[in-house]
PDB file of all heavy atoms in Angstrom:
ATOM      1  N   ASN A   2     -42.104 -25.908  -3.986  1.00 49.00           N
ATOM      2  CA  ASN A   2     -43.283 -25.305  -3.615  1.00 49.00           C
ATOM      3  C   ASN A   2     -44.425 -25.376  -4.748  1.00 49.00           C
ATOM      4  O   ASN A   2     -44.095 -24.872  -5.773  1.00 49.00           O
ATOM      5  CB  ASN A   2     -43.155 -23.818  -3.134  1.00 49.00           C
ATOM      6  CG  ASN A   2     -44.399 -23.301  -2.593  1.00 49.00           C
ATOM      7  OD1 ASN A   2     -45.129 -23.877  -1.699  1.00 49.00           O
ATOM      8  ND2 ASN A   2     -44.745 -22.105  -3.011  1.00 49.00           N
ATOM      9  N   ILE A   8     -49.345 -13.738  -2.075  1.00 97.00           N
ATOM     10  CA  ILE A   8     -49.566 -12.844  -1.002  1.00 97.00           C
ATOM     11  C   ILE A   8     -48.991 -11.450  -1.483  1.00 97.00           C
ATOM     12  O   ILE A   8     -47.731 -11.308  -1.813  1.00 97.00           O
ATOM     13  CB  ILE A   8     -48.809 -13.245   0.295  1.00 97.00           C
ATOM     14  CG1 ILE A   8     -49.119 -14.725   0.624  1.00 97.00           C
ATOM     15  CG2 ILE A   8     -49.195 -12.346   1.373  1.00 97.00           C
ATOM     16  CD1 ILE A   8     -50.434 -15.101   0.916  1.00 97.00           C
ATOM     17  N   MET A  10     -48.034  -7.691  -0.631  1.00 97.00           N
ATOM     18  CA  MET A  10     -47.618  -6.872   0.494  1.00 97.00           C
ATOM     19  C   MET A  10     -47.513  -5.478   0.051  1.00 97.00           C
ATOM     20  O   MET A  10     -46.655  -5.197  -0.825  1.00 97.00           O
ATOM     21  CB  MET A  10     -46.441  -7.407   1.218  1.00 97.00           C
ATOM     22  CG  MET A  10     -46.521  -8.872   1.649  1.00 97.00           C
ATOM     23  SD  MET A  10     -45.157  -9.507   2.616  1.00 97.00           S
ATOM     24  CE  MET A  10     -45.312  -8.516   4.118  1.00 97.00           C
ATOM     25  N   PHE A  82     -40.494  -5.679   4.633  1.00 93.00           N
ATOM     26  CA  PHE A  82     -41.456  -6.510   3.972  1.00 93.00           C
ATOM     27  C   PHE A  82     -40.775  -7.903   3.756  1.00 93.00           C
ATOM     28  O   PHE A  82     -41.471  -8.956   3.996  1.00 93.00           O
ATOM     29  CB  PHE A  82     -41.802  -5.949   2.608  1.00 93.00           C
ATOM     30  CG  PHE A  82     -42.731  -4.736   2.624  1.00 93.00           C
ATOM     31  CD1 PHE A  82     -42.328  -3.473   2.336  1.00 93.00           C
ATOM     32  CD2 PHE A  82     -44.071  -4.926   2.995  1.00 93.00           C
ATOM     33  CE1 PHE A  82     -43.122  -2.434   2.341  1.00 93.00           C
ATOM     34  CE2 PHE A  82     -44.933  -3.871   3.101  1.00 93.00           C
ATOM     35  CZ  PHE A  82     -44.495  -2.591   2.746  1.00 93.00           C
ATOM     36  N   PHE A  83     -39.607  -7.919   3.382  1.00 92.00           N
ATOM     37  CA  PHE A  83     -39.007  -9.316   3.069  1.00 92.00           C
ATOM     38  C   PHE A  83     -38.823 -10.107   4.354  1.00 92.00           C
ATOM     39  O   PHE A  83     -39.197 -11.307   4.452  1.00 92.00           O
ATOM     40  CB  PHE A  83     -37.506  -9.055   2.456  1.00 92.00           C
ATOM     41  CG  PHE A  83     -37.554  -8.232   1.159  1.00 92.00           C
ATOM     42  CD1 PHE A  83     -36.447  -7.530   0.879  1.00 92.00           C
ATOM     43  CD2 PHE A  83     -38.614  -8.273   0.379  1.00 92.00           C
ATOM     44  CE1 PHE A  83     -36.424  -6.687  -0.257  1.00 92.00           C
ATOM     45  CE2 PHE A  83     -38.575  -7.502  -0.884  1.00 92.00           C
ATOM     46  CZ  PHE A  83     -37.565  -6.735  -1.228  1.00 92.00           C
ATOM     47  N   GLU A  84     -38.416  -9.413   5.419  1.00 94.00           N
ATOM     48  CA  GLU A  84     -38.307 -10.077   6.764  1.00 94.00           C
ATOM     49  C   GLU A  84     -39.574 -10.612   7.147  1.00 94.00           C
ATOM     50  O   GLU A  84     -39.769 -11.703   7.757  1.00 94.00           O
ATOM     51  CB  GLU A  84     -37.728  -9.157   7.736  1.00 94.00           C
ATOM     52  CG  GLU A  84     -36.167  -8.960   7.513  1.00 94.00           C
ATOM     53  CD  GLU A  84     -35.458  -8.092   8.497  1.00 94.00           C
ATOM     54  OE1 GLU A  84     -36.259  -7.438   9.357  1.00 94.00           O
ATOM     55  OE2 GLU A  84     -34.224  -7.953   8.480  1.00 94.00           O
ATOM     56  N   TYR A  85     -40.699  -9.757   7.047  1.00 96.00           N
ATOM     57  CA  TYR A  85     -42.004 -10.215   7.566  1.00 96.00           C
ATOM     58  C   TYR A  85     -42.544 -11.281   6.763  1.00 96.00           C
ATOM     59  O   TYR A  85     -43.059 -12.267   7.276  1.00 96.00           O
ATOM     60  CB  TYR A  85     -42.966  -8.910   7.423  1.00 96.00           C
ATOM     61  CG  TYR A  85     -44.402  -9.135   7.931  1.00 96.00           C
ATOM     62  CD1 TYR A  85     -44.643  -8.909   9.225  1.00 96.00           C
ATOM     63  CD2 TYR A  85     -45.356  -9.712   7.097  1.00 96.00           C
ATOM     64  CE1 TYR A  85     -45.969  -9.126   9.794  1.00 96.00           C
ATOM     65  CE2 TYR A  85     -46.611  -9.927   7.565  1.00 96.00           C
ATOM     66  CZ  TYR A  85     -46.898  -9.615   8.854  1.00 96.00           C
ATOM     67  OH  TYR A  85     -48.122  -9.920   9.346  1.00 96.00           O
ATOM     68  N   ALA A  86     -42.400 -11.296   5.501  1.00 95.00           N
ATOM     69  CA  ALA A  86     -42.783 -12.350   4.570  1.00 95.00           C
ATOM     70  C   ALA A  86     -42.198 -13.663   4.934  1.00 95.00           C
ATOM     71  O   ALA A  86     -42.801 -14.785   5.095  1.00 95.00           O
ATOM     72  CB  ALA A  86     -42.591 -12.096   3.155  1.00 95.00           C
ATOM     73  N   ASN A  87     -40.872 -13.656   5.205  1.00 94.00           N
ATOM     74  CA  ASN A  87     -40.110 -14.906   5.520  1.00 94.00           C
ATOM     75  C   ASN A  87     -40.569 -15.379   6.867  1.00 94.00           C
ATOM     76  O   ASN A  87     -40.599 -16.630   7.135  1.00 94.00           O
ATOM     77  CB  ASN A  87     -38.564 -14.663   5.504  1.00 94.00           C
ATOM     78  CG  ASN A  87     -38.061 -14.496   4.138  1.00 94.00           C
ATOM     79  OD1 ASN A  87     -38.571 -15.089   3.127  1.00 94.00           O
ATOM     80  ND2 ASN A  87     -37.098 -13.660   3.926  1.00 94.00           N
ATOM     81  N   ALA A  88     -40.949 -14.551   7.814  1.00 96.00           N
ATOM     82  CA  ALA A  88     -41.303 -14.968   9.157  1.00 96.00           C
ATOM     83  C   ALA A  88     -42.719 -15.395   9.251  1.00 96.00           C
ATOM     84  O   ALA A  88     -43.004 -16.315   9.889  1.00 96.00           O
ATOM     85  CB  ALA A  88     -41.108 -13.742  10.168  1.00 96.00           C
ATOM     86  N   HIS A  89     -43.624 -14.825   8.487  1.00 97.00           N
ATOM     87  CA  HIS A  89     -45.131 -15.075   8.508  1.00 97.00           C
ATOM     88  C   HIS A  89     -45.660 -15.886   7.425  1.00 97.00           C
ATOM     89  O   HIS A  89     -46.778 -16.416   7.664  1.00 97.00           O
ATOM     90  CB  HIS A  89     -45.861 -13.770   8.705  1.00 97.00           C
ATOM     91  CG  HIS A  89     -45.492 -13.047  10.066  1.00 97.00           C
ATOM     92  ND1 HIS A  89     -45.991 -13.276  11.272  1.00 97.00           N
ATOM     93  CD2 HIS A  89     -44.606 -12.025  10.253  1.00 97.00           C
ATOM     94  CE1 HIS A  89     -45.487 -12.549  12.210  1.00 97.00           C
ATOM     95  NE2 HIS A  89     -44.655 -11.640  11.582  1.00 97.00           N
ATOM     96  N   TYR A  90     -45.055 -15.953   6.287  1.00 96.00           N
ATOM     97  CA  TYR A  90     -45.539 -16.651   5.153  1.00 96.00           C
ATOM     98  C   TYR A  90     -44.490 -17.560   4.432  1.00 96.00           C
ATOM     99  O   TYR A  90     -44.119 -17.258   3.447  1.00 96.00           O
ATOM    100  CB  TYR A  90     -46.192 -15.631   4.151  1.00 96.00           C
ATOM    101  CG  TYR A  90     -47.350 -14.830   4.628  1.00 96.00           C
ATOM    102  CD1 TYR A  90     -47.109 -13.583   5.210  1.00 96.00           C
ATOM    103  CD2 TYR A  90     -48.504 -15.396   4.560  1.00 96.00           C
ATOM    104  CE1 TYR A  90     -48.250 -12.841   5.666  1.00 96.00           C
ATOM    105  CE2 TYR A  90     -49.667 -14.601   5.066  1.00 96.00           C
ATOM    106  CZ  TYR A  90     -49.444 -13.384   5.625  1.00 96.00           C
ATOM    107  OH  TYR A  90     -50.504 -12.727   6.063  1.00 96.00           O
ATOM    108  N   PRO A  91     -43.908 -18.480   5.216  1.00 94.00           N
ATOM    109  CA  PRO A  91     -42.941 -19.391   4.563  1.00 94.00           C
ATOM    110  C   PRO A  91     -43.479 -20.084   3.436  1.00 94.00           C
ATOM    111  O   PRO A  91     -44.544 -20.472   3.433  1.00 94.00           O
ATOM    112  CB  PRO A  91     -42.520 -20.217   5.763  1.00 94.00           C
ATOM    113  CG  PRO A  91     -43.672 -20.214   6.681  1.00 94.00           C
ATOM    114  CD  PRO A  91     -44.377 -18.864   6.541  1.00 94.00           C
ATOM    115  N   LYS A  92     -42.676 -20.245   2.393  1.00 94.00           N
ATOM    116  CA  LYS A  92     -42.946 -21.001   1.317  1.00 94.00           C
ATOM    117  C   LYS A  92     -44.101 -20.552   0.576  1.00 94.00           C
ATOM    118  O   LYS A  92     -44.772 -21.285  -0.076  1.00 94.00           O
ATOM    119  CB  LYS A  92     -43.033 -22.485   1.592  1.00 94.00           C
ATOM    120  CG  LYS A  92     -41.670 -23.145   2.223  1.00 94.00           C
ATOM    121  CD  LYS A  92     -41.828 -24.520   2.481  1.00 94.00           C
ATOM    122  CE  LYS A  92     -40.614 -25.132   3.078  1.00 94.00           C
ATOM    123  NZ  LYS A  92     -40.650 -26.541   3.504  1.00 94.00           N
ATOM    124  N   LYS A  93     -44.285 -19.228   0.571  1.00 95.00           N
ATOM    125  CA  LYS A  93     -45.395 -18.570  -0.274  1.00 95.00           C
ATOM    126  C   LYS A  93     -44.842 -17.703  -1.266  1.00 95.00           C
ATOM    127  O   LYS A  93     -43.722 -17.092  -1.144  1.00 95.00           O
ATOM    128  CB  LYS A  93     -46.245 -17.757   0.648  1.00 95.00           C
ATOM    129  CG  LYS A  93     -46.957 -18.549   1.816  1.00 95.00           C
ATOM    130  CD  LYS A  93     -48.084 -19.460   1.278  1.00 95.00           C
ATOM    131  CE  LYS A  93     -48.791 -20.094   2.482  1.00 95.00           C
ATOM    132  NZ  LYS A  93     -49.668 -21.161   2.123  1.00 95.00           N
ATOM    133  N   HIS A  94     -45.484 -17.501  -2.306  1.00 97.00           N
ATOM    134  CA  HIS A  94     -45.244 -16.510  -3.411  1.00 97.00           C
ATOM    135  C   HIS A  94     -45.612 -15.126  -2.886  1.00 97.00           C
ATOM    136  O   HIS A  94     -46.735 -14.879  -2.680  1.00 97.00           O
ATOM    137  CB  HIS A  94     -45.743 -16.911  -4.741  1.00 97.00           C
ATOM    138  CG  HIS A  94     -45.274 -18.079  -5.295  1.00 97.00           C
ATOM    139  ND1 HIS A  94     -45.875 -19.417  -5.119  1.00 97.00           N
ATOM    140  CD2 HIS A  94     -44.179 -18.337  -5.985  1.00 97.00           C
ATOM    141  CE1 HIS A  94     -45.083 -20.292  -5.797  1.00 97.00           C
ATOM    142  NE2 HIS A  94     -44.061 -19.706  -6.274  1.00 97.00           N
ATOM    143  N   ILE A  95     -44.651 -14.228  -2.913  1.00 96.00           N
ATOM    144  CA  ILE A  95     -44.846 -12.982  -2.319  1.00 96.00           C
ATOM    145  C   ILE A  95     -44.630 -11.875  -3.358  1.00 96.00           C
ATOM    146  O   ILE A  95     -43.709 -11.968  -4.179  1.00 96.00           O
ATOM    147  CB  ILE A  95     -43.883 -12.670  -1.102  1.00 96.00           C
ATOM    148  CG1 ILE A  95     -43.907 -13.741  -0.127  1.00 96.00           C
ATOM    149  CG2 ILE A  95     -44.110 -11.227  -0.585  1.00 96.00           C
ATOM    150  CD1 ILE A  95     -45.173 -13.899   0.662  1.00 96.00           C
ATOM    151  N   ILE A 116     -41.947 -19.108  -9.811  1.00 91.00           N
ATOM    152  CA  ILE A 116     -40.701 -19.135  -9.036  1.00 91.00           C
ATOM    153  C   ILE A 116     -40.686 -20.325  -8.117  1.00 91.00           C
ATOM    154  O   ILE A 116     -41.560 -20.503  -7.342  1.00 91.00           O
ATOM    155  CB  ILE A 116     -40.726 -17.766  -8.154  1.00 91.00           C
ATOM    156  CG1 ILE A 116     -40.785 -16.527  -9.055  1.00 91.00           C
ATOM    157  CG2 ILE A 116     -39.510 -17.767  -7.254  1.00 91.00           C
ATOM    158  CD1 ILE A 116     -40.881 -15.169  -8.336  1.00 91.00           C
ATOM    159  N   SER A 118     -37.603 -21.349  -6.418  1.00 89.00           N
ATOM    160  CA  SER A 118     -36.533 -21.321  -5.408  1.00 89.00           C
ATOM    161  C   SER A 118     -36.483 -19.969  -4.689  1.00 89.00           C
ATOM    162  O   SER A 118     -36.747 -18.970  -5.236  1.00 89.00           O
ATOM    163  CB  SER A 118     -35.189 -21.618  -6.062  1.00 89.00           C
ATOM    164  OG  SER A 118     -34.150 -21.275  -5.250  1.00 89.00           O
ATOM    165  N   HIS A 119     -36.163 -20.022  -3.469  1.00 87.00           N
ATOM    166  CA  HIS A 119     -35.934 -18.771  -2.676  1.00 87.00           C
ATOM    167  C   HIS A 119     -34.690 -17.941  -3.110  1.00 87.00           C
ATOM    168  O   HIS A 119     -34.524 -16.767  -2.775  1.00 87.00           O
ATOM    169  CB  HIS A 119     -35.834 -19.101  -1.166  1.00 87.00           C
ATOM    170  CG  HIS A 119     -34.539 -19.834  -0.842  1.00 87.00           C
ATOM    171  ND1 HIS A 119     -34.462 -21.150  -0.892  1.00 87.00           N
ATOM    172  CD2 HIS A 119     -33.429 -19.347  -0.240  1.00 87.00           C
ATOM    173  CE1 HIS A 119     -33.336 -21.575  -0.505  1.00 87.00           C
ATOM    174  NE2 HIS A 119     -32.605 -20.479  -0.188  1.00 87.00           N
ATOM    175  N   LYS A 120     -34.016 -18.641  -4.043  1.00 86.00           N
ATOM    176  CA  LYS A 120     -32.766 -17.882  -4.571  1.00 86.00           C
ATOM    177  C   LYS A 120     -33.217 -17.049  -5.801  1.00 86.00           C
ATOM    178  O   LYS A 120     -32.296 -16.351  -6.351  1.00 86.00           O
ATOM    179  CB  LYS A 120     -31.710 -18.902  -5.000  1.00 86.00           C
ATOM    180  CG  LYS A 120     -31.067 -19.510  -3.703  1.00 86.00           C
ATOM    181  CD  LYS A 120     -30.006 -20.587  -4.126  1.00 86.00           C
ATOM    182  CE  LYS A 120     -29.509 -21.184  -2.863  1.00 86.00           C
ATOM    183  NZ  LYS A 120     -28.379 -22.179  -3.169  1.00 86.00           N
ATOM    184  N   GLU A 121     -34.374 -17.130  -6.239  1.00 86.00           N
ATOM    185  CA  GLU A 121     -34.865 -16.438  -7.453  1.00 86.00           C
ATOM    186  C   GLU A 121     -35.575 -15.151  -6.956  1.00 86.00           C
ATOM    187  O   GLU A 121     -36.450 -15.295  -6.007  1.00 86.00           O
ATOM    188  CB  GLU A 121     -35.806 -17.345  -8.292  1.00 86.00           C
ATOM    189  CG  GLU A 121     -36.056 -17.032  -9.619  1.00 86.00           C
ATOM    190  CD  GLU A 121     -36.868 -18.058 -10.424  1.00 86.00           C
ATOM    191  OE1 GLU A 121     -36.846 -19.171  -9.998  1.00 86.00           O
ATOM    192  OE2 GLU A 121     -37.380 -17.795 -11.376  1.00 86.00           O
ATOM    193  N   CYS A 195     -40.860  -9.794  -6.548  1.00 92.00           N
ATOM    194  CA  CYS A 195     -41.534 -10.955  -6.371  1.00 92.00           C
ATOM    195  C   CYS A 195     -40.517 -12.111  -6.008  1.00 92.00           C
ATOM    196  O   CYS A 195     -39.421 -12.190  -6.572  1.00 92.00           O
ATOM    197  CB  CYS A 195     -42.298 -11.489  -7.712  1.00 92.00           C
ATOM    198  SG  CYS A 195     -43.245 -10.126  -8.490  1.00 92.00           S
ATOM    199  N   PHE A 196     -40.867 -12.945  -5.061  1.00 93.00           N
ATOM    200  CA  PHE A 196     -40.024 -14.124  -4.628  1.00 93.00           C
ATOM    201  C   PHE A 196     -40.818 -15.168  -3.851  1.00 93.00           C
ATOM    202  O   PHE A 196     -41.971 -14.892  -3.486  1.00 93.00           O
ATOM    203  CB  PHE A 196     -38.983 -13.415  -3.651  1.00 93.00           C
ATOM    204  CG  PHE A 196     -39.475 -12.769  -2.383  1.00 93.00           C
ATOM    205  CD1 PHE A 196     -39.445 -13.425  -1.174  1.00 93.00           C
ATOM    206  CD2 PHE A 196     -40.044 -11.480  -2.432  1.00 93.00           C
ATOM    207  CE1 PHE A 196     -40.008 -12.793  -0.024  1.00 93.00           C
ATOM    208  CE2 PHE A 196     -40.495 -10.792  -1.318  1.00 93.00           C
ATOM    209  CZ  PHE A 196     -40.483 -11.448  -0.082  1.00 93.00           C
ATOM    210  N   LEU A 197     -40.092 -16.165  -3.602  1.00 94.00           N
ATOM    211  CA  LEU A 197     -40.592 -17.411  -2.826  1.00 94.00           C
ATOM    212  C   LEU A 197     -39.985 -17.186  -1.418  1.00 94.00           C
ATOM    213  O   LEU A 197     -38.760 -17.299  -1.340  1.00 94.00           O
ATOM    214  CB  LEU A 197     -40.269 -18.588  -3.503  1.00 94.00           C
ATOM    215  CG  LEU A 197     -40.875 -19.951  -2.828  1.00 94.00           C
ATOM    216  CD1 LEU A 197     -42.318 -19.896  -2.865  1.00 94.00           C
ATOM    217  CD2 LEU A 197     -40.213 -21.137  -3.534  1.00 94.00           C
ATOM    218  N   SER A 198     -40.852 -16.981  -0.439  1.00 94.00           N
ATOM    219  CA  SER A 198     -40.240 -16.816   0.860  1.00 94.00           C
ATOM    220  C   SER A 198     -39.591 -18.046   1.428  1.00 94.00           C
ATOM    221  O   SER A 198     -39.901 -19.054   1.000  1.00 94.00           O
ATOM    222  CB  SER A 198     -41.433 -16.393   1.827  1.00 94.00           C
ATOM    223  OG  SER A 198     -42.371 -17.333   1.896  1.00 94.00           O
TER     224      SER A 198
END
Side-chain angles (χ1 to χ4, degrees):
N2 182 49
I8 311 299
M10 300 182 71
F82 287 108
F83 303 150
E84 288 180 351
Y85 184 90
N87 288 330
H89 297 275
Y90 295 95
K92 299 181 181 177
K93 300 287 185 190
H94 290 98
I95 309 292
I116 299 174
S118 167
H119 66 277
K120 295 180 180 179
E121 198 172 341
C195 313
F196 61 99
L197 182 64
S198 58

